[in-house]
Amino acid sequence: MRRDALVVGINQNPFLFDTPTSKSKHLKTPACDAEAIARLLEENGDFRVKRLPEKAIDDEKFQVDPKKKVIADELLDEITKLFLTEDGRDTALLFFAGHGVIKPLGQLEQILMATSDVNPQSKKWNGLLLRDLWEIVEQSHVKEQIIWLDSCHSG
């Protein structure tokens, strides 16, 4: 049985502010939480885990990097690789910890899994809309799909 996971922990959000004069809304725990989940999945769940952002500890070990940024294209690419595969994997698990942002669309509100390059003040809505994540999962041939979101507005 093949089980793969993408574990994302984004601490760095340099363009998110409460007010134009406040400090950036960097987070302190997503990378740590994501790394804890990654270890549990590897040690107790028999998962092959991809971390984002990752840093190498040695030639064979990686960990979630709390200081690195994740851009929208990178997140979308890794999620697509996880779910839209024909390699026969039985389980695909996505864990995302970071900011969830509301993107206005007229009278609608769209929910966005924010990446480090999101900048609402400049109308740069970078990340992945939950609607788009749903479309990816619907098209997936992976038998068991698990999505675990640890962010504001994740429902």
Side-chain angles (χ1 to χ4, degrees), residues 13-28 99 121:
N13 294 99
F15 304 111
L16 284 181
F17 306 95
D18 285 324
T19 67
T21 58
S22 65
K23 290 184 177 182
S24 296
K25 291 175 70 173
H26 296 302
L27 297 172
K28 294 183 169 115
H99 277 297
Q121 293 81 9

Side-chain angles (χ1 to χ4, degrees), residues 9-147:
I10 302 175
N11 286 13
Q12 301 300 313
N13 294 99
F15 304 111
L16 284 181
F17 306 95
D18 285 324
T19 67
T21 58
S22 65
K23 290 184 177 182
S24 296
K25 291 175 70 173
H26 296 302
L27 297 172
K28 294 183 169 115
T29 61
C32 182
D33 293 347
E35 183 57 32
I37 295 298
R39 288 185 185 161
L40 284 171
L41 291 171
E42 287 173 332
E43 294 168 8
N44 301 313
D46 197 30
F47 277 85
R48 292 182 340 160
V49 177
K50 165 74 176 163
R51 292 159 168 87
L52 193 63
E54 75 178 8
K55 70 176 178 181
I57 297 173
D58 60 38
D59 289 341
E60 297 178 18
K61 294 199 179 224
F62 297 91
Q63 72 180 34
V64 178
D65 191 337
K67 296 182 180 179
K68 274 190 183 173
K69 297 175 185 171
V70 175
I71 62 170
D73 287 343
E74 185 179 18
L75 179 64
L76 178 60
D77 184 49
E78 292 299 332
I79 289 174
T80 301
K81 286 179 192 173
L82 177 68
F83 289 108
L84 298 180
T85 179
E86 298 293 333
D87 65 2
R89 71 182 60 159
D90 299 293
T91 303
L93 183 147
L94 168 65
F95 174 82
F96 175 88
H99 277 297
V101 175
I102 295 176
K103 176 186 176 189
L105 180 65
Q107 294 182 355
L108 296 175
E109 293 181 338
Q110 297 179 311
I111 307 301
L112 182 75
M113 296 164 45
T115 50
S116 301
D117 52 345
V118 69
N119 188 340
Q121 293 81 9
S122 297
K123 305 280 189 251
K124 293 182 180 170
W125 299 102
N126 297 328
L128 183 65
L129 292 170
L130 291 186
R131 171 196 74 205
D132 295 340
L133 176 60
W134 177 251
E135 281 187 31
I136 291 168
V137 170
E138 277 189 317
Q139 294 177 32
S140 175
H141 295 292
V142 177
K143 296 172 190 156
E144 183 178 33
Q145 305 160 356
I146 303 164
I147 299 173

